[in-house]
Amino acid sequence: MKKIAVLGPEGTFSDLAAQMYLKSCAEQQQLIYYPTICKTISAMDADTDAIVPFENVLDGFVTETLDTIYDTGCLILKQWSVPIAFRFVGHADSMDAITDVYVQEKAYGQCLDFLKNYDFTIHLTKSNTESYRACKNTGQGAVIPVHLPFHAFNLVRKIQTGNDNRTRFVYLSRRMPPVFPTQGHAFVAITAKKDRPGLLYDIIKDLHHLNMRSILSRPNKKNPKKAIFFIEIELKQGQRDLLHLFIEKQNTDEVDSVLLGIYR
């Protein structure tokens, strides 16, 4: 049976995304949960793929995902989005009676407009399920996903995070697919080997025939003074040759480039 490493524990949005993926699969697959994104991706092998969060529309790219994809050299094969919504729960009669609140670190950024209205002591957690369990055990407050049960709490508030808060999840593999899609999105990492004025401009100008959806700069762990540029490109039918030409042009004495996936 094929295995899929998932950022856990059960009940997280990553688990919800994995369940959505399983419903689209004909073959049976086993989910194995890991406590961090790095451990989830690192668990991949010839028989194990992975599902991890990639980007939230309010909070941006998940940098741990980008860094670990780059470090391990795995490929993005699929993407899909999951609606994100939160509740505030607690064991108290009013919001003023809550002093300590548990919230997952990415959820904190998405719920900041709500949380900043109160003088809470914030405890950041690694998962929304951890926040939920901490709240149940301590009697304080927590930010939890709406799909988790909330009837055990006597204080419940809906948190408004925007009309269309969604997180993109990606399916990763160490195996090269038989063929990449002819359209969708492409993800490219470009590593600077030199540092000079105008280097990024020279990279971007080669994209004039392609639509750049986003770009993010990350430090290179081997040389923090040299950047890694992650570029996501919208790929239309008939543009795959232009994409490969762009990648080839970024392999010089100044930069290296690698394709990290084409996906829909």
Side-chain angles (χ1 to χ4, degrees):
M1 182 187 301
K2 194 163 100 174
K3 300 175 183 178
I4 303 177
V6 180
L7 176 63
E10 294 181 59
T12 61
F13 283 114
S14 294
D15 182 34
L16 186 61
Q19 300 299 335
M20 291 173 62
Y21 173 77
L22 289 181
K23 289 180 180 179
S24 68
C25 298
E27 59 181 305
Q28 191 174 6
Q29 302 181 63
Q30 180 185 4
L31 301 183
I32 302 176
Y33 299 95
Y34 292 88
T36 67
I37 290 174
C38 182
K39 289 183 178 180
T40 302
I41 298 177
S42 298
M44 295 168 57
D45 56 31
D47 300 312
T48 305
D49 295 337
I51 293 173
V52 291
F54 189 56
E55 181 191 27
N56 177 263
V57 297
L58 300 180
D59 207 37
F61 281 101
V62 182
T63 55
E64 186 179 356
T65 295
L66 302 189
D67 292 344
T68 313
I69 289 175
Y70 178 84
D71 290 342
T72 58
C74 58
L75 292 170
I76 304 172
L77 299 186
K78 299 175 184 176
Q79 67 164 0
W80 64 100
S81 64
V82 174
I84 304 296
F86 296 99
R87 286 189 179 97
F88 182 91
V89 297
H91 294 287
D93 295 326
S94 68
M95 296 293 290
D96 293 336
I98 299 289
T99 58
D100 292 68
V101 170
Y102 297 89
V103 55
Q104 192 265 350
E105 47 197 353
K106 294 298 283 187
Y108 175 76
Q110 298 169 46
C111 299
L112 189 57
D113 285 345
F114 174 86
L115 294 171
K116 69 183 181 183
N117 295 315
Y118 304 94
D119 191 23
F120 295 139
T121 298
I122 300 295
H123 302 274
L124 295 179
T125 64
K126 289 295 184 182
S127 74
N128 289 302
T129 305
E130 181 184 339
S131 300
Y132 177 81
R133 292 171 179 169
C135 180
K136 287 188 69 176
N137 293 335
T138 64
Q140 287 293 325
V143 173
I144 66 170
V146 294
H147 61 267
L148 290 180
F150 60 92
H151 302 290
F153 304 98
N154 58 322
L155 180 65
V156 179
R157 296 285 188 275
K158 185 176 181 180
I159 300 176
Q160 297 290 343
T161 59
N163 295 328
D164 193 26
N165 185 12
R166 306 180 73 86
T167 292
R168 278 199 294 163
F169 287 82
V170 289
Y171 186 95
L172 306 176
S173 181
R174 291 191 182 278
R175 302 185 307 276
M176 183 70 69
V179 61
F180 279 118
T182 56
Q183 59 185 343
H185 291 78
F187 204 63
V188 180
I190 298 176
T191 306
K193 294 189 285 188
K194 295 183 179 180
D195 185 17
R196 65 165 175 83
L199 179 62
L200 180 58
Y201 170 79
D202 287 341
I203 294 171
I204 292 176
K205 73 179 182 180
D206 289 332
L207 277 168
H208 60 282
H209 291 304
L210 296 168
N211 185 24
M212 181 175 66
R213 182 187 179 274
S214 57
I215 183 169
L216 181 71
S217 173
R218 296 286 296 156
N220 188 333
K221 295 177 183 177
K222 296 180 180 179
N223 188 346
K225 294 183 179 180
K226 304 293 190 300
I228 301 171
F229 302 108
F230 292 100
I231 301 176
E232 188 172 37
I233 299 166
E234 291 184 5
L235 200 62
K236 296 181 180 180
Q237 190 74 33
Q239 290 187 328
R240 204 162 62 178
D241 288 343
L242 291 174
L243 171 68
H244 291 302
L245 180 61
F246 166 73
I247 294 172
E248 288 175 8
K249 292 183 70 173
Q250 308 315 312
N251 287 295
T252 67
D253 61 340
E254 293 188 315
V255 294
D256 283 329
S257 65
V258 59
L259 177 65
L260 297 177
I262 301 176
Y263 45 93
R264 300 181 70 175

